[in-house]
Amino acid sequence: MKNLKRIMLAMAAAASLLAPALPAMAQASDQFIAIPSYRVGPYGTNGQSYYGGYIDYLSYVNLKEGGINGVKLSWEECETEYNNAKGVECYERLKGKNPVTKGTAINAMATGIAYALIDKTAEDKVPLLMVGYGRTDAVDGSVFPYAFPLVTTYQMQVSAIVKYLASKNNGSLAGKKIVFLYHDSAYGKEPIVALEAEATLGKFKLVQIPVAHPGNEQGAQWLKIRQENPDYVIFWGWGVMNQTALKAAQKVGFARDKIIGSWWAGSEEDTVPAGDAAKGYLSATWNVSGKSVPLIADIEKVVYGAGKGNMQDKAKIGSILYNRGVSAALATVEAIRTAQAKYGKGKLMSGEDVRWGLENLNITNARLQQLGASGLLPEIKTSCDNHEGSGKIKIQQWDGGKWVLVSDWIEGNKNLIHPLFKASAAKYAKEKGITPACMK
Amino acid sequence: MFYREAGQFKTSYIADSQIFPIRQDRIGMAILLAVAFVGIPLIGSEYWFSAILIPFLVFALAALGLNILTGYAGQLSLGSAAFMAVGAYAAYNFQLRVEGIPILLSFILAGCCAAAVGVLFGLPSLRIKGFYLAVATLAAQFFVIWVLTKFPWFSNDSSSGVISAQKIDLFGIAINSPVRKYLFVLAIVCVMALLAKNLVRSSTGRAWMAVRDMDVAAEVIGIRLMQTKLLAFAVSSFFCGVAGALYAFCYLGSVEPDGFSLDLSFRILFMIIVGGVGSILGAFLGSAFILLLPIFLDNVLPPLATWLHLPFTNATVSHIQMMLFGALIIFFLIVEPHGLARLWQITKEKLRLWPFPH
């Protein structure tokens, strides 16, 4: 009997441990936003700044305006560690927290997770945001009604980079040699189709060199680059791979101002650890850095003044990734606002409502100015045909201490790239048996 | 008291060779299956199906595959994730390229493809053993991923190398909701677990165990080493291949080669170590342990932290998970190196004598 008693006691103890684990329902009156984020793992430092900015903006909206037309925002984070399976688990967990809003808009900042969620989100009617990353052909809203690669996609970005390089060479890259050095994953491979099309059109030679995940060993690749002696290196890295590349380039003596990175390869997290090796390095970006943007300064004042800031390292406020997180949150909030304008101000928006908001988003420069975010990100105007909404980037250069903009907004070659999206989306639709149609 | 076999007599060979010779086990199993097939679909939530139960079953199947190879045949392998990748991509390609092929057939063929690759990488096992073999199977891990990344044909020329699983249609029934996917996976896993159990009880299984315990002695008593070892590789890879196909079609929906990294192989290896090497039940227990513990901690730690007024962030929770995980694995290995399955066996033996132990 003694044993039995002990077992009963143990079970009672276990039950009391489990009791708080019962899913705490999010406040039913709040617009709940699910945030599958990552702050540990190989890309953790990037996630800290990005989601710090994202959450700070949501807090800012709550503090400054009391929510969106009086609807408070609430959110919950779930750690994915940039792992697809964990990302799916997080999504499934978070979407059940609020029966009306579900997840509002899922933004995992990981191409792999976004891929895994595309079908699930479409089935559950939860918008999937891929702000500046993800499946490029989701630009076609008739095939991907619930997926939004907002602002700009990898293919438009690489096209814009090529345009920038051409402008540095009197408008033509004919006869030049460009190395494409990329992270050998979905993220790194997305732009290849566009780059190959650009190479045929611009008559330059393209050499593709992959780097295995996570990319902290690039000796062989840079030796190959030295042999090839290209005019430019277009660099598609993420996380630890970026600083490694800059140091390796310095070691083999390749000029850093001939390397131009993607926007995920152009943050302080990449250049500061690379030290000297990063000076002169160029990268694309779709948002500017610094606290000179009034919104960022105001966030610091309002949110951190109230002691509700999310960043542990306050020095990173105003960094590229922080501002990018703010931009992504801004687009999300504007989408909810747009949806409210149609479906009723001051009401909770369901996934379907927010989807409409995202598809009819119109963030003009005037609106950006109103928000104090003038110049922070390009104008966004979406439609069923164009879930991207912009396709513009700027080029920035690291001067050893901060990022300096060296170009104005550059738009990729839409006439070349958009047919590629369409073809790829049509292929996907055929594979999946989807009849392309715009949703109302 | 509850678990006494007094009065249960076996009077025929058939009765003697049952999987569950004790009546309580048979009843327990029937109840378990009834709960799994009928009870859980009635009460489970969507989250349970798509985030917990389906991956649990899929990984249990993969662990079963590895357990056949490592636990029963004694051949160390670090390539389980690669064989899963073969299964996933093969099933995708059969569905894509063969018009109107039934899903079950393409899963079986996917398993066969994985088995063929498994045999190929099992060939070195004829010459090398133990850690050396583990390194040889590591080659499978890198080679398969490389092939899938290098040749776009496998991913139907997708620009990113990611494949997106087709819709499943089983004899006219669309397997589209989480409950249906769960039942589909459960049925396949049950059939294959039964198959595995019977395989290891048969002469094949005894040959595997003889090879595991001492291959020279096994050869002396007339077991043909080459056939036995390669069969173990084939069967194990078949199981992993089907698990990979289920992983792609019923769990994630879309996979990329990088998803089947060495990390996943290690996870499967941990599953059989924690669950119990050389035990069918162990594969299920191990899979449950490795998958559920992080989710459990994820749910328990934050409320606990607020209760104790500790400043916890999500990152801290994640770090604590990792530490606790490592500590628990070490604890298990020290306290019970034969895993959870052995603990269950000890419990049963104790129950048999309870309440009068001697």
Side-chain angles (χ1 to χ4, degrees):
Chain A
M1 261 351 250
K2 219 163 123 200
N3 270 344
L4 191 66
K5 207 183 238 168
R6 210 178 290 156
I7 291 168
M8 295 297 268
L9 266 176
M11 272 167 68
S16 66
L17 254 178
L18 267 169
L22 293 172
M25 271 292 171
Q27 280 280 324
S29 59
D30 290 345
Q31 182 77 33
F32 176 76
I33 300 177
I35 308 179
S37 66
Y38 49 93
R39 290 166 189 260
V40 294
Y43 310 107
T45 33
N46 304 61
Q48 277 164 21
S49 301
Y50 183 87
Y51 285 104
Y54 194 91
I55 290 171
D56 276 353
Y57 185 75
L58 300 182
S59 312
Y60 174 76
V61 171
N62 275 350
L63 288 169
K64 184 98 176 174
E65 311 168 35
I68 305 169
N69 299 320
V71 181
K72 284 252 184 199
L73 300 172
S74 68
W75 56 88
E76 189 173 320
E77 262 189 275
C78 178
E79 178 65 45
T80 67
E81 295 175 22
Y82 203 81
N83 174 318
N84 297 356
K86 277 201 149 185
V88 170
E89 194 265 317
C90 278
Y91 165 73
E92 295 289 348
R93 186 183 331 164
L94 292 177
K95 82 172 185 208
K97 296 265 170 171
N98 188 315
V100 182
T101 69
K102 289 187 177 160
T104 299
I106 304 287
N107 176 13
M109 204 185 37
T111 304
I113 297 177
Y115 265 92
L117 291 182
I118 275 190
D119 288 345
K120 289 180 195 288
T121 47
E123 225 161 78
D124 298 331
K125 300 193 166 34
V126 180
L128 175 69
L129 271 189
M130 304 179 282
V131 194
Y133 65 92
R135 191 170 178 123
T136 305
D137 50 12
V139 170
D140 187 348
S142 62
V143 179
F144 297 92
Y146 277 91
F148 291 85
L150 273 187
V151 185
T152 157
T153 56
Y154 293 144
Q155 300 190 357
M156 283 297 271
Q157 171 181 208
V158 87
S159 170
I161 290 175
V162 169
K163 201 185 224 178
Y164 170 78
L165 292 179
S167 75
K168 291 276 144 194
N169 289 283
N170 304 320
S172 167
L173 286 170
K176 302 270 183 202
K177 189 192 266 186
I178 293 179
V179 161
F180 179 58
L181 183 69
Y182 64 99
H183 190 262
D184 200 359
S185 66
Y187 155 63
K189 284 199 254 181
E190 281 274 0
I192 290 178
V193 186
L195 202 51
E196 280 171 348
E198 285 282 358
T200 324
L201 191 73
K203 296 193 178 62
F204 59 84
K205 188 164 183 263
L206 181 68
V207 183
Q208 301 175 21
I209 305 178
V211 178
H213 161 92
N216 48 7
E217 179 46 65
Q218 293 174 36
Q221 283 87 351
W222 283 94
L223 279 180
K224 177 107 198 300
I225 290 174
R226 198 169 63 173
Q227 281 169 8
E228 293 277 352
N229 195 21
D231 295 282
Y232 294 102
V233 170
I234 294 180
F235 176 64
W236 231 257
W238 182 225
V240 66
M241 171 177 171
N242 298 345
Q243 30 171 309
T244 314
L246 292 172
K247 284 182 192 154
Q250 187 185 38
K251 219 186 269 173
V252 300
F254 190 86
R256 254 76 74 222
D257 55 5
K258 295 268 172 74
I259 310 174
I260 183 157
S262 76
W263 56 64
W264 297 119
S267 63
E268 287 81 356
E269 278 77 2
D270 310 315
T271 47
V272 172
D276 251 6
K279 206 170 169 188
Y281 168 62
L282 293 156
S283 95
T285 185
W286 57 263
N287 65 290
V288 303
S289 63
K291 292 184 199 169
S292 52
V293 180
L295 174 66
I296 304 294
D298 205 33
I299 288 177
E300 192 176 15
K301 205 174 80 198
V302 173
V303 179
Y304 287 82
K308 297 219 168 150
N310 191 271
M311 294 293 288
Q312 282 175 332
D313 182 1
K314 284 185 195 148
K316 284 192 173 166
I317 297 169
S319 71
I320 279 281
L321 284 174
Y322 180 88
N323 287 9
R324 188 163 297 160
V326 171
S327 308
L330 187 146
T332 311
V333 168
E334 287 307 298
I336 299 169
R337 215 187 290 276
T338 312
Q340 280 196 7
K342 180 175 163 85
Y343 295 103
K345 283 187 180 176
K347 285 193 186 145
L348 280 192
M349 292 293 112
S350 69
E352 283 131 301
D353 301 343
V354 176
R355 189 209 74 85
W356 187 89
L358 280 164
E359 197 159 82
N360 295 281
L361 205 55
N362 188 9
I363 307 179
T364 58
N365 275 333
R367 177 67 187 147
L368 285 175
Q369 186 141 23
Q370 239 177 2
L371 292 165
S374 186
L376 176 67
L377 66 163
E379 292 180 286
I380 306 173
K381 185 170 176 20
T382 51
S383 64
C384 170
D385 249 0
N386 187 350
H387 274 190
E388 179 183 32
S390 164
K392 287 178 186 162
I393 58 159
K394 279 184 179 182
I395 303 292
Q396 55 180 3
Q397 189 164 30
W398 183 251
D399 72 352
K402 62 176 187 305
W403 287 104
V404 183
L405 292 170
V406 294
S407 84
D408 202 359
W409 293 113
I410 307 173
E411 191 177 17
N413 187 349
K414 247 187 188 157
N415 297 335
L416 178 71
I417 305 298
H418 274 230
L420 295 176
F421 295 167
K422 288 271 176 208
S424 173
K427 193 172 164 190
Y428 179 86
K430 190 164 165 257
E431 219 175 84
K432 288 275 185 180
I434 300 171
T435 324
C438 279
M439 289 180 91
K440 288 285 161 216
Chain B
M1 185 175 187
F2 302 116
Y3 199 77
R4 194 159 297 154
E5 52 189 310
Q8 298 181 30
F9 301 109
K10 296 170 208 155
T11 49
S12 65
Y13 283 119
I14 295 169
D16 195 37
S17 60
Q18 288 186 84
I19 296 183
F20 301 109
I22 300 173
R23 192 193 296 135
Q24 286 91 330
D25 276 348
R26 288 195 295 272
I27 295 170
M29 202 63 203
I31 292 174
L32 186 69
L33 285 177
V35 167
F37 274 101
V38 183
I40 292 178
L42 286 177
I43 55 160
S45 71
E46 202 183 327
Y47 168 68
W48 274 84
F49 292 124
S50 24
I52 294 178
L53 292 169
I54 293 176
F56 156 65
L57 289 169
V58 169
F59 280 111
L61 190 60
L64 208 57
L66 183 64
N67 223 340
I68 287 174
L69 186 64
T70 305
Y72 285 98
Q75 311 295 308
L76 267 179
S77 164
L78 285 178
S80 343
F83 302 133
M84 282 177 77
V86 173
Y89 274 76
Y92 166 76
N93 276 304
F94 281 121
Q95 282 288 300
L96 181 75
R97 294 173 205 281
V98 186
E99 196 69 40
I101 187 174
I103 188 81
L104 284 178
L105 182 63
S106 67
F107 277 12
I108 292 170
L109 287 174
C112 292
C113 289
V117 177
V119 167
L120 200 67
F121 282 93
L123 285 174
S125 69
L126 306 175
R127 290 291 166 108
I128 52 179
K129 286 187 216 167
F131 284 120
Y132 303 96
L133 181 64
V135 174
T137 54
L138 200 59
Q141 183 65 52
F142 294 114
F143 180 76
V144 168
I145 306 304
W146 177 78
V147 166
L148 293 178
T149 328
K150 177 78 185 168
F151 300 101
W153 183 85
F154 289 107
S155 51
N156 195 22
D157 300 311
S158 128
S159 60
S160 51
V162 178
I163 59 166
S164 182
Q166 293 91 341
K167 293 200 168 85
I168 310 176
D169 181 75
L170 187 74
F171 307 121
I173 308 165
I175 308 292
N176 47 12
S177 67
V179 184
R180 285 181 181 181
K181 279 185 183 165
Y182 161 73
L183 287 174
F184 180 65
V185 176
L186 181 68
I188 291 180
V189 171
C190 282
V191 170
M192 291 185 73
L194 185 70
L195 193 77
K197 183 77 190 171
N198 278 324
L199 257 179
V200 298
R201 277 158 22 102
S202 68
S203 58
T204 320
R206 286 198 297 277
W208 283 340
M209 284 182 264
V211 170
R212 171 191 69 190
D213 292 342
M214 193 174 184
D215 54 355
V216 179
E219 202 169 10
V220 168
I221 59 169
I223 291 169
R224 278 184 285 186
L225 281 191
M226 188 175 83
Q227 282 183 2
T228 314
K229 282 183 177 177
L230 289 186
L231 185 66
F233 266 97
V235 173
S236 154
S237 309
F238 182 88
F239 274 67
C240 286
V242 174
L246 290 175
Y247 186 70
F249 278 78
C250 296
Y251 178 41
L252 283 187
S254 84
V255 289
E256 55 177 330
D258 281 341
F260 297 99
S261 59
L262 187 57
D263 227 37
L264 196 66
S265 287
F266 275 126
R267 272 167 65 110
I268 298 169
L269 187 65
F270 292 153
M271 282 174 195
I272 69 165
I273 291 175
V274 170
V277 175
S279 138
I280 300 292
L281 177 69
F284 287 89
L285 294 179
S287 162
F289 183 85
I290 300 272
L291 272 176
L292 298 187
L293 186 70
I295 296 175
F296 173 74
L297 292 176
D298 238 17
N299 279 307
V300 167
L301 286 179
L304 202 65
T306 15
W307 187 53
L308 295 171
H309 300 288
L310 288 172
F312 261 31
T313 63
N314 267 28
T316 331
V317 172
S318 213
H319 286 133
I320 291 178
Q321 264 180 30
M322 278 182 218
M323 290 188 284
L324 212 62
F325 213 76
L328 274 172
I329 287 178
I330 293 171
F331 172 81
F332 261 112
L333 288 183
I334 293 170
V335 176
E336 188 44 84
H338 294 289
L340 294 166
R342 174 76 186 140
L343 282 181
W344 173 238
Q345 206 180 340
I346 292 172
T347 317
K348 283 206 295 191
E349 272 159 28
K350 293 229 152 140
L351 275 177
R352 206 174 273 193
L353 299 173
W354 188 82
F356 304 114
H358 50 73

